[in-house]
Amino acid sequence: LLSPCGVKCHILETAFQVSHLTVVLSIYQDKPFVLLRWNNTNPTAAVKMLPTFVRSTPDGTETGDFLALDLGGTNFRVLLVRVSSNGKQKVEMENQIYAIPENIMRGSGTELFDHIAECLANFLEKLGIKDKKLPLGFTFSFPCQQTKLDESFLVSWTKGFKASGVEGRDVVGLLRKAIKKRGDFDIDIVAVINDTVGTMMTCGYDDHHCEIGLIVGESLSYICTHMLELVDGDEGRMCVNMEWGAFGDDGALDDIRTEFDREIDAGSLNPGKQLFEKMISGMYIGELVRLILVKMAKDGLLFQGHTTPDLLTTGHFQTSFVSAMENKKSGLVSAEQVLRGLGLDPSPEDCVATQRVCQIVSTRAAHLCAATLAAVLRQIRDNKAAERLRTTVGVDGSVYKNHPQFARRLNKMVRLLVPDCDVRFLRSEDGSGKGAAMVTAVAHRLAKQHAERQRILNTLRLSRDQLLEVKKRMEEEMNRGLAKKTHATATVKMLPTFVRSTPDGTERGDFLALDLGGTNFRVLLVRVRSGKRRSVEMHNKIYTIPQDITQGTGEELFDHIVHCIADFLEYMGMKGASLPLGFTFSFPCHQTRLDQGILIKWTKGFKASGCEGEDVATLLKDAIHRSEDFDLDVVAVVNDTVGTMMTCGYEDPQCEVGLIVGTGTNTCYMEEMSNVELVDGDEGRMCVNMEWGAFGDRGELDDLCTEFDRAVDDQSTYPGKQRYEKMISGMYLGEIVRNVLLDFTAKGLLFRGKLSERLKTRGIFETKFLSQIESDRLALRQVRSILQHLGLTSSTCDDSILVKEVCSVVSKRAAQLCGAGLSAVIDKIRLNRGLEKLSITVGVDGTLYKLHPHFATIMRETLRDLAPNCEVTLAQSEDGSGKGAALITAVACRLRDAGK
């Protein structure tokens, strides 16, 4: 360039460069996404972030015939779009253009929509489909306030339309009314959209990673899908119409706007508005170049200081001139032609300088567009909690498509600003027509999939009548288990525990507890104090049983246990002490006395010989005698459910029921001795160990069992057994969920029909995942991280929402079934005592009850509903297997000392 013009161009370039694009990115990042947390009527928001109610992009499974109506000017189009997915995605379109006479544009709204309905009828008749009720997508390119996917209120007419009685009304409703008035055809208007949404959806059909739509044309608009809190509900994603042309209207861009930007704004129809649009859209790029050329000419730097009327006339330097001048091969020739067309006599240097001005202005536009797009990409990446984001931007608009360098500059700057995002730019074809049909196709697919998913999930949902029936059947099985005649065939065994009383607060003394339920076991010293300052103080130590001992002889096993007890007593400074002991022995046993437990069979990997069929209390006593180091009084052999009741009973005398809902489930309660036919005597009460996990083994729950329950049962180690436990306990809930997810995926209702190998693995979906996923504090991005851990790396936000719903349905059923069973127990106690109202406490333990965020609440609500005459307090137990065993021993010692 010749100097002083070259100097002037350099100064201009410096002024127009966004040299610190990250600053613009930062400004933009702070602005619109903060607004997501405001309500959608916030009057101060420059970038409005309008909800479109489009909740998903195409997944390639859309099929069917769809209509589209594209209204945005004096001509409008009606389209028939055929979408098929038989092995290969395919879209076929037929369309016809109809004119809107000027008298109708300026007449009444009724006339306008009657005309549109008439044209629709004509189109349907020509194609021979007037008798079909097809879904339709309506592209209505005027300023609207959208409240639902199929409801949009016109804010104001533009583009020369002035039809009365339409502004402030729902345009979908007006079209429906016009169609209904005709009565000769019917259509289902599913969605109303704008052309930017259509751009995203059109590209989204070809590229499933597309979740952003961008239009850079004569005017500029922009949308993206991401987490949205503008509307009711905070789960899932929604397409947001950003209307980003107004970015900067609050002064955010004042420091990078030039004198030329201010001059354009001052001379516009809307000064102070749409400032970002005035810096980058096709409507203003040519005008920016014209103002710069005029300034340089007046400063004597171009055209020998001459100007012409055409150069001085607003709008005479079109943006298409900029595109022509930046063509690498013919740019300078075009520059000379354009300048001469404006009445100028340019020198070669003038042409070069004009071309450079065009480059500076269009480059700034591309870079500003890139900076704001980068902010959106970062937000989407953060929403997904992804280290790298892979996404596609669907693009349309004359500037992006026709300018020879704009797309390349935009793409390059985006890659520079967000190197952790892999972004593909995909040109859209017919976003306003095909796009409207795709929105309709997606909505149609989602509606069908939702109906199918709910049909399946409804098999896992229980009505109140079904829960009452469960309660009734549980009561029947309890009575069968208590009766001598039917006990053998009862599924709920109602085993006597020989625990005759709960704590009354007078218990005192030092007691040992032995808690054996696996390869690790505990020895505890429990000090119980009575009186005003009654308390329970515990000391314990954990010991390991080597594998060779668990597989050896019974003598070796119990000698090892006694050796550990001796070590514990020495550790506590009580060597040689003789104390009463409670023995929690968590293996299947038959009891005939409180201090006796005959082992039925080993479980949990134990195979010590000479124990099955023997009294474990006697085996322990024999080992103590062999050691000759100390002596112990084995007072009670108990299970952990009874211990749970006794632990809570020490704090609350009204506690007469124990419930465990964890890996397994069981219940015990204080039954009238007159009903316990397996034990002689009618006086007083005895704690009954229900072993209710086997409820349903005679078919009592068959009508409630789903295909998923049957699949879990078939794959279990004991098919046909413990049916109730398999529907409500922590060991199985995750497996039920996994089977539902497998079914949904096989039917194309989840994970886009793509199954991970890990999800096929039995037991991989742990019940703890239900607790985590259903936590009210857990964001969907964290749900996705759990799914990714399961090998579902391509899971979407919609998948996360559905997985959460499945977990919720399965866990709710478990809590309701548990509540129904417990209501039978509570009501039986009330009826046993002939009470109209019963006030009672249930001691509860177990990881599912304690850790699941909603299980306890749902169980409590069910209990209140099914046993309305019982006021039930649920008290959480602590250490029922240890502390509970000691308290059972303490109560037994109190009763023994009292001679009872």
Side-chain angles (χ1 to χ4, degrees), residues 486-657:
T486 53
H487 174 80
T489 59
T491 57
V492 181
K493 287 299 182 185
M494 309 296 284
L495 302 173
T497 68
F498 299 89
V499 172
R500 302 294 300 270
S501 176
T502 54
D504 67 1
T506 64
E507 294 79 12
R508 60 181 297 146
D510 292 352
F511 305 92
L512 281 178
L514 178 60
D515 178 13
L516 176 62
T519 53
N520 290 329
F521 73 98
R522 289 185 305 157
V523 184
L524 304 92
L525 172 65
V526 182
R527 291 192 162 113
V528 182
R529 300 291 176 261
S530 60
K532 291 183 179 179
R533 293 188 173 183
R534 70 192 189 108
S535 64
V536 175
E537 178 187 336
M538 293 194 299
H539 305 273
N540 73 89
K541 194 172 181 181
I542 298 173
Y543 294 91
T544 300
I545 304 176
Q547 188 175 5
D548 61 323
I549 291 180
T550 66
Q551 310 298 308
T553 67
E555 272 195 15
E556 290 171 334
L557 173 62
F558 282 93
D559 284 348
H560 176 73
I561 291 170
V562 168
H563 174 75
C564 294
I565 295 172
D567 174 79
F568 178 75
L569 290 171
E570 188 169 350
Y571 168 74
M572 294 300 301
M574 301 175 68
K575 187 175 181 180
S578 179
L579 296 173
L581 178 139
F583 189 6
T584 300
F585 188 74
S586 298
F587 297 89
C589 284
H590 172 63
Q591 275 188 276
T592 55
R593 300 196 311 264
L594 178 61
D595 62 350
Q596 181 192 66
I598 297 170
L599 177 63
I600 298 170
K601 63 177 179 178
W602 282 119
T603 57
K604 307 174 187 178
F606 279 67
K607 289 185 179 178
S609 62
C611 297
E612 291 182 353
E614 298 295 327
D615 174 23
V616 293
T618 300
L619 293 174
L620 179 61
K621 289 173 186 175
D622 290 346
I624 292 170
H625 292 150
R626 282 195 298 273
S627 75
E628 298 182 352
D629 287 340
F630 59 91
D631 194 18
L632 293 177
D633 179 13
V634 182
V635 173
V637 177
V638 302
N639 72 18
D640 49 1
T641 317
V642 181
T644 294
M645 180 186 75
M646 298 298 275
T647 302
C648 292
Y650 183 75
E651 305 294 338
D652 183 347
Q654 285 193 314
C655 183
E656 298 184 83
V657 182

Side-chain angles (χ1 to χ4, degrees), residues 203-216:
C203 293
Y205 184 72
D206 298 316
D207 183 339
H208 299 156
H209 291 288
C210 184
E211 52 189 348
I212 301 172
L214 170 66
I215 292 182
V216 191

Side-chain angles (χ1 to χ4, degrees), residues 536-796:
V536 175
E537 178 187 336
M538 293 194 299
H539 305 273
N540 73 89
K541 194 172 181 181
I542 298 173
Y543 294 91
T544 300
I545 304 176
Q547 188 175 5
D548 61 323
I549 291 180
T550 66
Q551 310 298 308
T553 67
E555 272 195 15
E556 290 171 334
L557 173 62
F558 282 93
D559 284 348
H560 176 73
I561 291 170
V562 168
H563 174 75
C564 294
I565 295 172
D567 174 79
F568 178 75
L569 290 171
E570 188 169 350
Y571 168 74
M572 294 300 301
M574 301 175 68
K575 187 175 181 180
S578 179
L579 296 173
L581 178 139
F583 189 6
T584 300
F585 188 74
S586 298
F587 297 89
C589 284
H590 172 63
Q591 275 188 276
T592 55
R593 300 196 311 264
L594 178 61
D595 62 350
Q596 181 192 66
I598 297 170
L599 177 63
I600 298 170
K601 63 177 179 178
W602 282 119
T603 57
K604 307 174 187 178
F606 279 67
K607 289 185 179 178
S609 62
C611 297
E612 291 182 353
E614 298 295 327
D615 174 23
V616 293
T618 300
L619 293 174
L620 179 61
K621 289 173 186 175
D622 290 346
I624 292 170
H625 292 150
R626 282 195 298 273
S627 75
E628 298 182 352
D629 287 340
F630 59 91
D631 194 18
L632 293 177
D633 179 13
V634 182
V635 173
V637 177
V638 302
N639 72 18
D640 49 1
T641 317
V642 181
T644 294
M645 180 186 75
M646 298 298 275
T647 302
C648 292
Y650 183 75
E651 305 294 338
D652 183 347
Q654 285 193 314
C655 183
E656 298 184 83
V657 182
L659 167 68
I660 289 182
V661 195
T663 305
T665 182
N666 194 18
T667 302
C668 69
Y669 72 100
M670 297 302 293
E671 177 60 88
E672 304 301 315
M673 277 296 296
S674 57
N675 293 330
V676 185
E677 295 184 11
L678 298 181
V679 179
D680 293 336
D682 291 339
E683 294 298 317
R685 295 170 185 154
M686 179 180 286
C687 179
V688 172
N689 171 19
M690 290 180 62
E691 292 294 344
W692 75 352
F695 176 51
D697 289 3
R698 287 193 313 114
E700 305 96 302
L701 297 174
D702 283 0
D703 55 334
L704 301 182
C705 280
T706 66
E707 58 182 295
F708 312 112
D709 298 304
R710 287 187 283 274
V712 168
D713 183 50
D714 290 343
Q715 295 163 8
S716 70
T717 52
Y718 39 91
K721 304 295 182 184
Q722 299 295 105
R723 301 297 294 271
Y724 190 54
E725 180 171 276
K726 288 171 184 173
M727 296 173 81
I728 69 174
S729 80
M731 183 176 286
Y732 300 100
L733 294 192
E735 191 60 10
I736 294 172
V737 168
R738 187 183 71 86
N739 277 277
V740 176
L741 301 185
L742 287 174
D743 184 63
F744 277 9
T745 308
K747 291 174 178 171
L749 303 174
L750 186 65
F751 307 134
R752 292 184 171 171
K754 296 175 183 175
L755 197 60
S756 80
E757 286 301 315
R758 292 200 71 189
L759 193 61
K760 294 178 184 177
T761 307
R762 184 168 169 260
I764 195 71
F765 200 102
E766 300 173 49
T767 297
K768 70 177 183 180
F769 293 152
L770 275 75
S771 299
Q772 293 168 2
I773 287 170
E774 290 188 66
S775 170
D776 295 329
R777 298 187 300 273
L778 196 69
L780 285 178
R781 67 175 65 177
Q782 292 164 294
V783 176
R784 287 187 68 193
S785 71
I786 292 172
L787 297 180
Q788 287 166 358
H789 167 73
L790 296 171
L792 300 160
T793 53
S794 60
S795 64
T796 65

Side-chain angles (χ1 to χ4, degrees), residues 240-361:
V240 181
N241 175 13
M242 293 180 65
E243 294 292 348
W244 75 348
F247 177 44
D249 290 4
D250 56 357
L253 299 176
D254 284 358
D255 55 337
I256 62 169
R257 291 175 66 222
T258 66
E259 59 182 293
F260 310 109
D261 297 306
R262 292 185 177 88
E263 188 173 346
I264 276 190
D265 179 49
S268 68
L269 295 173
N270 55 345
K273 304 294 182 185
Q274 300 295 108
L275 297 182
F276 189 58
E277 181 173 298
K278 290 168 185 174
M279 295 173 79
I280 68 174
S281 79
M283 186 177 288
Y284 300 99
I285 286 176
E287 185 62 12
L288 274 169
V289 172
R290 186 190 71 81
L291 290 175
I292 294 166
L293 296 181
V294 169
K295 172 72 172 170
M296 292 177 74
K298 288 181 177 179
D299 288 349
L301 298 171
L302 282 177
F303 316 130
Q304 298 176 341
H306 296 150
T307 60
T308 65
D310 279 338
L311 184 62
L312 295 172
T313 303
T314 300
H316 273 213
F317 200 101
Q318 299 170 22
T319 297
S320 60
F321 296 165
V322 177
S323 299
M325 289 184 188
E326 290 195 59
N327 186 290
K328 287 186 177 180
K329 292 183 178 179
S330 59
L332 290 176
V333 174
S334 296
E336 183 178 2
Q337 291 173 348
V338 168
L339 293 174
R340 291 194 183 281
L342 294 172
L344 296 163
D345 183 19
S347 65
E349 292 79 9
D350 290 335
C351 293
V352 171
T354 301
Q355 185 186 54
R356 184 64 186 135
V357 170
C358 291
Q359 290 170 348
I360 291 168
V361 172

